[in-house]
Amino acid sequence: MEYRLELGGEITPMDVEVQPGESSARVRIGEASVRVDYELVAEGHWRLVVDGRALNVFVARTEEGKQIFINGRTCLVRDADAAPRRRGRAAGPDEGPGEVTPPMPAVVVRILVAEGDRVTKGQGLIVVSAMKMESTLAAPYDGLVTRINTAVEAKVMPGDVLVEIEPEGENE
Amino acid sequence: MEVIETRIDIASDEYRANYAAMEAQVARLDEELEKARSRRSERAIKRNEQLGKLPVRKRLELLLDRNTPFLEIAPLAAYGLYDQKVHGAGIITGIGVIHGREVIVHANDPMIKGGTIYPLGVKKGLRTQTIARENRLPIIYLVDSGGAFLPLQSEIFPDADDGGRIFYNQAVLSKMNVPQICGVLGLCTAGAAYIPAMSDDVVHVQGTGAIFLGGPPLVKAATGEEVTAEDLGGAAVHCRESGVSDYFAEDDAHCLDLIRQIVGNLPPAQKTEIGRTEPRQPLYDPREIYGIVPVQISTPYDCREIIARMVDASEWLEFKAQYGPTLVCGWARIHGYPVGILGNNGVLFSESSLKATQFIQLCDKRGTPLLFLQNIPGYIIGREYERGGITKDGHKMVNAVATATVPKFTVIVGASFGAGNYGMCGRAYSPRFLWMWPNAQIGVMGGEQAAGVLVTVKNDQLAREGQPPLPPEVVEGMKKPIMDAALKEGDAWYSTANLWDDGILDPAKTRDVLGLAISAALNAPLRDDVYGYGTFRM
Amino acid sequence: MFQKILIANRGEIAVRVIRTAREMGLKTVAVYSEVDARAAHVIEADQALSLGPAEPSESYLNIDRIIQAARASGAEAIHPGYGFLAENPDFAAACEEAGLAFIGPPAGVIRDLGSKTEARRIMASAGVPIIPGTAEGTTDVATVRRQAEEMGFPILVKAVAGGGGKGMRVVAEAEEMAEACQAAISEAAKAFGDGRVYLEKNLVAPRHVEFQILADGLGHAIHLFERECSIQRRHQKIIEETPSTALTPQIREAMGRAAVTAAQASGYVGAGTVEFLLDQDGKFYFLEVNTRLQVEHPITEMTTGVDLVRRQIEIAAGEPLGLSQEDVAPRGHAIECRIYAEDPAEQFFPSPGKITLLREPVGPGVRVDSGIYEGFTVPVEYDPILSKLIVWAHDREAARQRMVRALGGYAVLGIETTVPFLLDVIESAPFREGETRTDFIERHFTAWRPSAPEADVARMAFVIDELRPAARPTGGDQPRGWPTPWQSLGRWTI
């Protein structure tokens, strides 16, 4: 079974072949081929023996991928082919990098700019509060504030674009 | 429900000997399956690659949900036949899941003789359609075939159950509203052109997929016109001009993804509810079956021991335990599905036949699927029994088995001889699925008995002519070829090669196979036929 | 002694107080807000009463409702934990008025010491050294700005009522002053109901060393040695240890004496903490008195063997301390790491959500003060602290190694935590060397990025985990009920 896995923005092809009837698999990553013995100790808890080295690994399935814990460190691994399997036809307009959106559900505390303001990259636009911690959402690039889509005390979610900025600079 | 208590001593010499023998047979099975799955010529592999096509196993991997079961049907069809190179009769067939929905797949393997169709390939295709029809499973054809294997065309084309039946079935399946989706991943020439044409949805791969009634060589011979396959019946032609195909695929992977989307878009399966409970593992390791089944098929053993290693929590409720004890009947669950099990503990007598008839009717009435575990030397014979009406009682059982409408499943776990095969739901009695264990034997009667009968007939003839009976050395010489033939043509390998069954099973996997099969069977309504029976002779 | 006490707090500290109370044979009453109905402290307590909506002012900061809950449950005393109302003199006073024992110092003491400016005055007059700075607080940005320009930059803006890093800003130059000042005022007003700020000289790379004190109502006060709390991120302590690597026996003795003096000068009763800044020349300055149980109190408990919560309750019940300075002989070394629900890869932004898997470390010398459990949803409304991991060993290096081992086995999935960051800090050379100053994180970990676990092992774990079938049918139109073998068998062939 072939996979293409994404970890930290990097996509790695790999192939896993399960030995029938045994709790053992051969995993190929690039040129390397490694024997992995595995045992499901409890829900989400695997004991792996990778090339003779034993490790306890914890795996949580989330909507974004699998959160994997190994010796105090965690990472998110995604199946790059999960959906859809075919190679991409354009799936709608690009969500350009750097939208002004909170990284988690939060409440707007202060709005530092107004529509029509010129802002520079890194300038504070909106202060949000979540779990009693205030933090400032900054402008992702230089530009003109065309629209503010929120108000003080509004509850906002990741993905909500709070401030729309028309980029200025290199292109124009 | 009561736990079946085992009487097996896993430390005994007998157990160990049995275990070793069965383990060897399972090892052979695994080895043959592996060969059938992966042994392909370098040339074929290279050619497939050059054409930009994926190997058929890879196609299945991309088509089906990842890390889900694939219940392959008759993987060893044509085993030992046709130069021993036409693995699986050139076709991979099996039940798998797409977007969680159970479907049956029929895929040509172009790396075996260019995907040409052999007589047993037709038989396998028809069997696939029968499974689709009986269980209302959407059927997916992945077509990549050079057409009929011409040297054997007389065995492929003319008869009722030959090639034409494939398209007849497609029309019938369509009428029954069983979805049929066709991926054109290679050539679909002549008759094979009708597979996509008669499907509901056709996904056509550009460059490699082509549909035409007559291929370029035939066109040239007939009209002198020179034309390429792509130009004659490629994806562009059929998606843009003729309308023969519905979806244009850039390559194999794209085609398989489109099929997945089509399946995902079907209305949901209406599975029959038969009252499941939480699935529980058996208390005993299913592998212990290896040590239970005797090396010699004639050695009796208690069939409850194998039932205990198949059913949930090793529990069942035995029906009429003290009556007609050569047939055991009882209620149990497999993967949470209720089943009524009939297993042989010796020859069938009048009592055991009557018990079976009653039990089958009860299961049928209650909508409980039936599982037959065949290890049957036959019905009892002899003066006393004929006078007691064994034929009359055997008939009742055959009648009930034939006309019961609930899903039936048969596993031949040992002998399957004579009318016993009928009463215990042999292939002719339309079980939804029928499998064999590697040790199983099938025939009109055992080889020994058959040879004995022939010697007796000969001696009777000699006696009528006033001659002495055959001397012992002649008798042995006469018996040997008959016994050898019975042994060879009655073993599981011969059976599975000829598609008398749906495959040989590792006994330890029987429980899971049955669970998968019952789940698949529930895609059809419980009663596919009118409930009721013929007249029982009293 | 009381029969029943109410804990006016949530999370790990409430659970920790309940544990000692149970050991003392006291019944415990938890209070909770709507979102905490299934929180660990509610589950642990003998009895639990709802306060109201999630908003702190409607629940954990609502004095009336808490007093009412105490009355309704028949509790005789209230333990405030830390944060929320722990250092609110009005709350202490309200308890006194209601005839309930407040497990902490008297309201007047809290009021005096809670005002940073007043505390500085008391300490200065008792001869305890203080940091140069302004004497009065204000909410007038212009005033603060003028004062700052007089004192020079960099400078520290601090909330008069402050604590826990809230309402505090370091200002490097005059231009930043207005914005920083406004932010500090707004934060302080929101957190403490008092927006006033004052200025302090910003010491360069000092150490943050605090002394635990205990004083009974009969005038007897002792200290329980120091805690080194210099490792801070955004003025929030994240790692604490005891003893401090920076103290010589002489400095330790002098600071201990100053701490007891501070306690006595302020009329202190109960458990408290006197915080000092220690500069590079070994000079120390009074910073503030925390009139509550500190988050990091367990390390003192580990080295001294004194259960601080038990002493708090006994003192509140009017019992004498029964412990002299000579009785307190610390042993070995203890380290605490605070585990927060924060994503170290995303600038430590809070990471609330459901904990889908939890494995807490155990074994010799390991203590976990936790307010979570597997399946618990960490609410968005409160401080993101999940738990504290405390280790003890015979010396610092053994304790450090033990902490590495324990963090390596602390699996929390479903949300992000600070465990990977803490592990990197504990494993770093500067920490091993004891280079713990308040600029530790800025100096050594500003460009820090989480190091992924061994990537190939993680990838292997992913594909191996794929072999495990989904426990339950997923997807829109799957039939309900037990999974079919098609769903439960996973990868399977005949």
Side-chain angles (χ1 to χ4, degrees):
Chain A
M1 185 71 66
E2 288 173 22
Y3 288 90
R4 295 189 317 123
L5 298 185
E6 195 218 303
L7 196 167
E10 195 180 306
I11 292 177
T12 311
M14 57 193 299
D15 194 6
V16 58
E17 228 173 85
V18 179
Q19 323 302 128
E22 286 171 58
S23 290
S24 176
R26 190 145 279 282
V27 179
R28 263 196 304 282
I29 305 179
E31 297 299 300
S33 170
V34 184
R35 180 192 158 104
V36 183
D37 297 323
Y38 54 87
E39 189 187 341
L40 187 64
V41 179
E43 186 70 18
H45 178 179
W46 290 95
R47 185 171 185 277
L48 304 184
V49 181
V50 180
D51 241 356
R53 191 164 64 106
L55 292 147
N56 282 293
V57 176
F58 298 92
V59 181
R61 297 175 175 190
T62 72
E63 273 176 29
E64 295 95 56
K66 290 185 187 180
Q67 197 189 8
I68 295 174
F69 173 99
I70 304 167
N71 287 334
R73 296 194 164 87
T74 54
C75 63
L76 188 73
V77 184
R78 262 188 287 240
D79 185 343
D81 300 324
R85 282 190 187 180
R86 80 191 125 128
R87 54 230 180 81
R89 288 185 200 169
D94 267 5
E95 292 187 346
E99 292 191 318
V100 183
T101 184
M104 58 163 302
V107 176
V108 175
V109 178
R110 271 194 310 285
I111 299 174
L112 308 173
V113 291
E115 286 176 14
D117 283 4
R118 233 161 253 295
V119 292
T120 53
K121 184 176 172 180
Q123 181 180 340
L125 305 175
I126 279 202
V127 182
V128 295
S129 162
M131 293 174 101
K132 299 284 143 237
M133 297 280 288
E134 289 190 0
S135 76
T136 303
L137 304 178
Y141 37 73
D142 296 354
L144 187 72
V145 175
T146 53
R147 208 178 142 82
I148 291 175
N149 297 321
T150 189
V152 171
E153 308 235 316
K155 289 205 173 188
V156 290
M157 300 292 291
D160 294 352
V161 179
L162 307 186
V163 178
E164 290 175 27
I165 303 171
E166 193 171 281
E168 284 180 349
E170 297 108 73
N171 298 345
E172 282 141 296
Chain B
M1 304 271 248
E2 276 186 18
V3 170
I4 302 171
E5 274 188 44
T6 189
R7 292 190 175 76
I8 296 297
D9 174 9
I10 60 167
S12 70
D13 291 344
E14 195 192 340
Y15 178 91
R16 287 183 188 161
N18 292 344
Y19 198 100
M22 184 62 89
E23 202 175 30
Q25 302 223 50
V26 172
R28 177 184 170 194
L29 173 64
D30 288 341
E31 194 181 312
E32 295 300 344
L33 284 171
E34 181 53 30
K35 263 193 233 170
R37 280 168 189 158
S38 58
R39 188 166 289 184
R40 303 290 181 269
S41 76
E42 281 298 321
R43 208 170 51 118
I45 293 170
K46 199 157 273 170
R47 176 161 169 72
N48 207 62
E49 253 181 39
Q50 281 164 353
L51 289 170
K53 298 199 289 193
L54 296 173
V56 66
R57 290 278 162 194
K58 184 80 199 169
R59 287 173 176 170
L60 289 175
E61 205 178 288
L62 291 178
L63 177 69
L64 300 171
D65 290 353
R66 275 185 171 161
N67 294 304
T68 54
F70 183 58
L71 179 57
E72 201 170 342
I73 303 295
L76 296 178
Y79 171 74
L81 304 169
Y82 313 133
D83 309 342
Q84 313 197 18
K85 280 183 185 158
V86 188
H87 303 293
I91 296 164
I92 296 175
T93 281
I95 302 172
V97 287
I98 298 177
H99 293 307
R101 181 183 186 134
E102 293 145 34
V103 300
I104 190 159
V105 187
H106 177 274
N108 298 111
D109 188 342
M111 296 202 288
I112 297 174
K113 307 274 185 187
T116 51
I117 305 297
Y118 282 69
L120 283 166
V122 175
K123 195 171 182 184
K124 191 165 172 178
L126 294 174
R127 174 65 193 146
T128 311
Q129 291 179 319
T130 301
I131 294 171
R133 176 172 52 77
E134 290 182 342
N135 303 289
R136 300 286 204 283
L137 293 172
I139 182 164
I140 290 157
Y141 306 97
L142 301 182
V143 186
D144 187 351
S145 165
F149 181 66
L150 291 174
L152 294 176
Q153 63 94 16
S154 70
E155 294 173 45
I156 294 170
F157 178 67
D159 205 355
D161 272 335
D162 280 349
R165 195 74 177 184
I166 296 270
F167 316 113
Y168 169 85
N169 283 345
Q170 283 194 272
V172 171
L173 285 166
S174 179
K175 183 178 173 181
M176 290 175 73
N177 198 16
V178 174
Q180 298 180 86
I181 299 153
C182 179
V184 179
L185 298 123
L187 298 182
C188 306
T189 315
Y194 282 107
I195 294 184
M198 301 201 67
S199 295
D200 299 335
D201 301 85
V202 180
V203 186
H204 198 140
V205 180
Q206 70 164 343
T208 47
I211 306 171
F212 29 60
L213 288 183
L218 188 62
V219 171
K220 188 170 183 206
T223 68
E225 189 183 7
E226 288 212 27
V227 62
T228 63
E230 182 72 7
D231 198 24
L232 191 60
V237 173
H238 287 313
C239 291
R240 292 191 190 130
E241 293 178 37
S242 72
V244 169
S245 303
D246 308 311
Y247 302 88
F248 182 93
E250 289 161 22
D251 56 18
D252 282 14
H254 186 203
C255 169
L256 297 162
D257 185 67
L258 284 167
I259 295 174
R260 284 181 59 81
Q261 295 187 48
I262 293 165
V263 173
N265 211 32
L266 292 173
Q270 301 294 326
K271 290 190 76 170
T272 300
E273 183 52 58
I274 57 169
R276 275 188 90 196
T277 51
E278 182 177 9
R280 288 178 296 169
Q281 291 294 315
L283 298 179
Y284 312 108
D285 184 353
R287 264 184 184 257
E288 289 176 3
I289 292 172
Y290 293 6
I292 293 165
V293 177
V295 178
Q296 289 299 327
I297 202 156
S298 50
T299 311
Y301 70 96
D302 186 355
C303 145
R304 292 178 191 87
E305 295 286 358
I306 60 172
I307 293 169
R309 285 153 183 86
M310 284 182 199
V311 301
D312 287 9
S314 301
E315 285 178 355
W316 83 333
L317 179 61
E318 189 165 347
F319 173 76
K320 269 188 159 70
Q322 290 161 14
Y323 181 82
T326 57
L327 181 84
V328 296
C329 299
W331 316 93
R333 291 186 177 264
I334 293 177
H335 278 279
Y337 297 105
V339 284
I341 303 176
L342 296 90
N344 304 113
N345 261 0
V347 294
L348 287 161
F349 292 86
S350 280
E351 293 83 359
S352 26
S353 306
L354 292 171
K355 174 177 165 181
T357 308
Q358 187 188 354
F359 187 69
I360 291 165
Q361 289 188 74
L362 282 175
C363 289
D364 195 18
K365 197 88 176 163
R366 294 174 185 174
T368 305
L370 284 162
L371 170 60
F372 297 86
L373 299 174
Q374 280 199 14
N375 180 20
I376 178 67
Y379 283 89
I380 191 71
I381 52 169
R383 200 165 69 137
E384 186 194 337
Y385 301 106
E386 298 292 358
R387 289 182 178 212
I390 180 66
T391 312
K392 202 173 69 171
D393 294 331
H395 131 80
K396 292 189 184 84
M397 183 174 172
V398 172
N399 191 351
V401 167
T403 53
T405 53
V406 287
K408 296 172 284 188
F409 304 88
T410 303
V411 184
I412 302 177
V413 302
S416 177
F417 294 134
N421 170 285
Y422 310 156
M424 289 297 289
C425 201
R427 190 68 149 182
Y429 290 78
S430 288
R432 296 284 180 94
F433 297 92
L434 183 149
W435 295 279
M436 284 197 146
W437 282 1
N439 59 306
Q441 288 277 328
I442 185 166
V444 172
M445 56 184 82
E448 182 91 25
Q449 292 93 317
V453 169
L454 284 171
V455 170
T456 307
V457 171
K458 185 71 187 167
N459 279 340
D460 287 352
Q461 188 195 341
L462 291 170
R464 280 200 300 278
E465 291 163 6
Q467 291 182 38
L470 297 168
E473 60 276 14
V474 179
V475 167
E476 283 315 302
M478 212 176 128
K479 278 171 112 174
K480 183 143 192 333
I482 296 163
M483 283 167 62
D484 285 352
L487 210 59
K488 180 179 178 297
E489 293 176 9
D491 75 4
W493 303 94
Y494 193 83
S495 164
T496 210
N498 285 290
L499 276 145
W500 298 345
D501 57 50
D502 293 316
I504 303 176
L505 294 185
D506 173 351
K509 288 186 180 172
T510 306
R511 165 186 163 77
D512 289 341
V513 169
L514 288 167
L516 294 168
I518 296 169
S519 174
L522 295 177
N523 282 278
L526 195 57
R527 303 203 186 285
D528 210 9
D529 197 357
V530 183
Y531 175 80
Y533 295 89
T535 304
F536 289 102
R537 180 174 296 279
M538 291 301 170
Chain C
M1 183 47 64
F2 315 115
Q3 303 293 310
K4 195 179 212 179
I5 66 168
L6 180 144
I7 298 97
N9 213 304
R10 64 179 300 282
E12 67 86 18
I13 191 60
V15 174
R16 189 258 167 276
V17 173
I18 289 169
R19 285 181 179 147
T20 285
R22 178 154 301 149
E23 287 164 16
M24 296 173 74
L26 311 182
K27 294 281 179 220
T28 54
V29 182
V31 288
Y32 61 94
S33 75
E34 272 168 10
V35 292
D36 270 344
R38 303 298 304 156
H41 71 284
V42 173
I43 294 166
E44 283 284 319
D46 295 315
Q47 190 181 346
L49 295 170
S50 165
L51 290 176
E55 183 61 32
S57 61
E58 300 285 319
S59 50
Y60 299 109
L61 285 177
N62 193 304
I63 295 175
D64 290 348
R65 288 191 195 159
I66 291 169
I67 301 282
Q68 218 168 14
R71 284 222 178 94
S73 62
E76 304 143 84
I78 296 183
H79 194 299
Y82 57 71
F84 292 122
L85 296 171
E87 292 171 281
N88 184 322
D90 297 340
F91 181 54
C95 289
E96 286 161 25
E97 261 167 52
L100 297 161
F102 176 76
I103 303 175
V109 175
I110 301 176
R111 188 163 285 127
D112 290 348
L113 295 175
S115 160
K116 302 239 155 156
T117 44
E118 176 64 14
R120 284 158 62 83
R121 199 190 53 73
I122 295 172
M123 295 309 151
S125 59
V128 178
I130 60 168
I131 305 168
T134 53
E136 300 292 330
T138 174
T139 52
D140 181 39
V141 177
T143 309
V144 182
R145 197 169 170 173
R146 200 182 53 247
Q147 291 171 332
E149 269 154 20
E150 280 165 20
M151 286 175 64
F153 292 92
I155 201 158
L156 208 54
V157 180
K158 291 181 80 171
V160 168
K166 287 190 179 111
M168 180 151 84
R169 291 286 187 284
V170 182
V171 184
E173 45 193 305
E175 292 80 75
E176 296 170 13
M177 197 62 200
E179 198 184 322
C181 214
Q182 203 153 42
I185 290 168
S186 141
E187 212 170 280
K190 194 150 181 214
F192 315 111
D194 177 358
R196 285 179 304 145
V197 295
Y198 72 103
L199 295 170
E200 259 180 22
K201 178 174 181 284
N202 188 41
L203 297 180
V204 178
R207 288 177 193 261
H208 183 117
V209 179
E210 62 186 28
F211 271 68
Q212 177 68 48
I213 53 168
L214 274 177
D216 62 20
L218 311 168
H220 183 49
I222 60 167
H223 72 83
L224 289 93
F225 294 89
E226 80 278 15
R227 292 185 290 257
E228 160 74 64
C229 307
S230 301
I231 304 206
Q232 306 184 354
R233 196 177 45 73
R234 295 184 195 151
H235 298 288
Q236 281 260 29
K237 299 167 190 169
I238 54 172
I239 297 172
E240 302 96 348
E241 60 181 312
T242 185
S244 165
T245 55
L247 298 195
T248 62
Q250 292 76 17
I251 300 175
R252 180 172 290 120
E253 215 203 311
M255 288 174 88
R257 256 200 321 270
V260 173
T261 305
Q264 281 162 338
S266 58
Y268 205 84
V269 179
T273 295
V274 184
E275 295 194 343
F276 297 100
L277 288 183
L278 179 69
D279 73 11
Q280 284 154 341
D281 309 324
K283 277 200 288 190
F284 62 88
Y285 303 93
F286 168 81
L287 190 60
E288 62 188 35
V289 177
N290 294 313
T291 59
R292 57 161 195 265
L293 189 66
Q294 293 283 83
V295 177
E296 60 274 21
H297 75 275
I299 54 174
T300 298
E301 297 186 327
M302 297 293 267
T303 50
T304 62
V306 175
D307 180 339
L308 291 170
V309 173
R310 177 183 280 263
R311 298 289 168 177
Q312 279 189 300
I313 296 171
E314 286 171 355
I315 292 167
E319 293 179 14
L321 189 51
L323 203 63
S324 71
Q325 191 64 58
E326 293 70 43
D327 294 334
V328 185
R331 235 183 107 243
H333 199 98
I335 306 176
E336 174 184 276
C337 283
R338 301 189 185 186
I339 316 294
Y340 285 99
E342 291 177 346
D343 186 353
E346 295 289 339
Q347 285 94 48
F348 292 89
F349 218 85
S351 173
K354 183 168 178 172
I355 295 170
T356 54
L357 181 142
L358 176 67
R359 295 289 188 284
E360 290 175 343
V362 289
V366 174
R367 165 173 167 181
V368 182
D369 279 18
S370 163
I372 54 170
Y373 54 87
E374 193 168 292
F376 176 62
T377 300
V378 179
V380 62
E381 285 84 359
Y382 307 112
D383 203 66
I385 192 163
L386 298 176
S387 69
K388 296 163 338 200
L389 172 60
I390 307 107
V391 299
W392 180 93
H394 63 277
D395 66 18
R396 186 173 189 270
E397 180 57 12
R400 197 189 65 81
Q401 289 168 350
R402 185 161 278 171
M403 184 58 91
V404 170
R405 185 266 291 175
L407 283 169
Y410 204 152
V412 186
L413 294 182
I415 57 172
E416 299 293 338
T417 74
T418 47
V419 167
F421 177 70
L422 293 164
L423 196 51
D424 280 356
V425 172
I426 297 283
E427 283 185 326
S428 69
F431 184 85
R432 199 166 50 233
E433 302 304 323
E435 292 294 317
T436 49
R437 293 177 200 284
T438 48
D439 63 348
F440 182 92
I441 298 300
E442 279 166 51
R443 187 191 287 247
H444 303 291
F445 285 88
T446 19
W448 180 85
R449 294 291 306 155
S451 50
E454 292 168 82
D456 280 351
V457 176
R459 293 186 185 105
M460 285 174 205
F462 183 99
V463 295
I464 296 297
D465 188 66
E466 287 289 288
L467 303 175
R468 173 170 64 109
R472 276 295 147 99
T474 51
D477 56 0
Q478 294 296 321
R480 292 150 67 95
W482 305 109
T484 72
W486 293 98
Q487 293 156 338
S488 65
L489 286 176
R491 191 188 179 95
W492 184 99
T493 56
I494 205 160

